[in-house]
């Protein structure tokens, strides 16, 4: 969110909303945020095209419960919030921890560090980031999906998309 602000994207979005004939958003919270700039705002719920190949279920086999976070580098604050709990999970013998969406970079390495209890867990692995058209396949490697959200203005606008994805791919969701 800070990077978003710093690069002026927020102001550009406001100007685009003012110039548009109509604006669609995914949550009532976003609708309320956009209304001052454009009165013609419609809430259109997020959805997933489950016919897309990326949502084919090919669960990898494991004797252990696989707990994972699937997300991008913008979730450092969210994962830091549950770092102590992740270390406790990392001590369990019948559980494996996964970070789906890892790519080289400082923020991703911080998330990997939280997920692996700063490298102390020997049951941690990463699932490399995938193209947006393949993203759903990461759910095939986990049984439980973690989706913590630090409460701030940005996360207030989040939709239920993670719940739709995890549920369809037969993963429990802890949010």
């Amino acid at each position: 969110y800070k990077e978003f602000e710093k690069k002026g994207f927020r102001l550009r979005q406001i100007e685009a909303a003012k110039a548009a004939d109509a604006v669609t958003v995914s949550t009532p919270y976003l609708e309320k945020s956009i209304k001052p700039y454009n009165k013609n705002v419609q809430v259109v719920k997020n959805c997933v095209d489950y016919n897309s190949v990326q949502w084919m279920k090919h669960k990898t086999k494991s004797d252990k419960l696989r707990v994972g976070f699937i997300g991008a580098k913008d979730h450092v604050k969210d994962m830091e919030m549950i770092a102590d709990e992740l270390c406790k999970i990392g001590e369990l013998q019948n559980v494996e921890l996964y970070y789906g969406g890892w790519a080289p970079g400082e923020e991703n390495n911080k998330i990997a560090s939280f997920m692996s209890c700063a490298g102390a867990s020997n049951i941690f692995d990463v699932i490399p980031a995938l193209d947006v058209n393949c993203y759903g396949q990461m759910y095939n490697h986990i049984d439980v999906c973690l989706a913590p959200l630090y409460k701030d203005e940005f996360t207030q606008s989040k939709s239920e998309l993670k719940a739709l994805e995890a549920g369809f791919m037969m993963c429990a969701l802890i949010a």
Side-chain angles (χ1 to χ4, degrees), residues 60-66 96 98 143:
T60 56
K61 302 283 184 217
S62 178
D63 295 336
K64 297 185 178 191
L65 180 68
R66 296 158 309 170
E96 296 173 330
Y98 288 88
D143 304 304

Side-chain angles (χ1 to χ4, degrees), residues 47-53 55-56 161 163-169:
C47 61
V48 178
D49 179 4
Y50 297 123
N51 293 315
S52 172
V53 169
W55 300 108
M56 291 179 70
L161 190 57
L164 294 173
E165 294 171 350
F168 183 78
M169 294 301 284

Side-chain angles (χ1 to χ4, degrees), residues 5 7 18 27 34 39 43-44 53 62 65-66 85 93 118 129 140 164 169:
E5 282 282 337
K7 290 185 176 180
K18 287 178 181 177
T27 66
I34 296 294
K39 299 296 181 208
V43 176
V44 178
V53 169
S62 178
L65 180 68
R66 296 158 309 170
E85 288 76 14
Q93 296 301 312
N140 282 315
L164 294 173
M169 294 301 284

Side-chain angles (χ1 to χ4, degrees), residues 16-44:
K18 287 178 181 177
D21 293 331
V23 178
T24 59
V25 296
S26 59
T27 66
Y29 181 87
L30 284 174
E31 177 186 30
K32 219 183 314 181
S33 298
I34 296 294
K35 282 262 184 190
Y37 309 106
N38 190 315
K39 299 296 181 208
N40 190 11
V41 182
Q42 298 296 315
V43 176
V44 178

Side-chain angles (χ1 to χ4, degrees), residues 1 8 12 15 20-21 26 28 30 40-41 47 51 54 77-78 80 85 88 105 131 139 152 155-156:
Y1 183 75
R12 285 188 229 160
E15 291 307 313
D21 293 331
S26 59
L30 284 174
N40 190 11
V41 182
C47 61
N51 293 315
Q54 71 173 315
K77 202 186 265 189
D78 304 324
E80 182 176 25
E85 288 76 14
K88 291 174 188 171
D131 177 89
Y139 286 97
D152 62 16
T155 60
Q156 291 295 307

Side-chain angles (χ1 to χ4, degrees), residues 8 28 59 65 85 94 110 135 148 157 166-167:
K59 285 285 187 185
L65 180 68
E85 288 76 14
N94 61 340
K110 284 181 185 177
Y135 160 87
S157 63

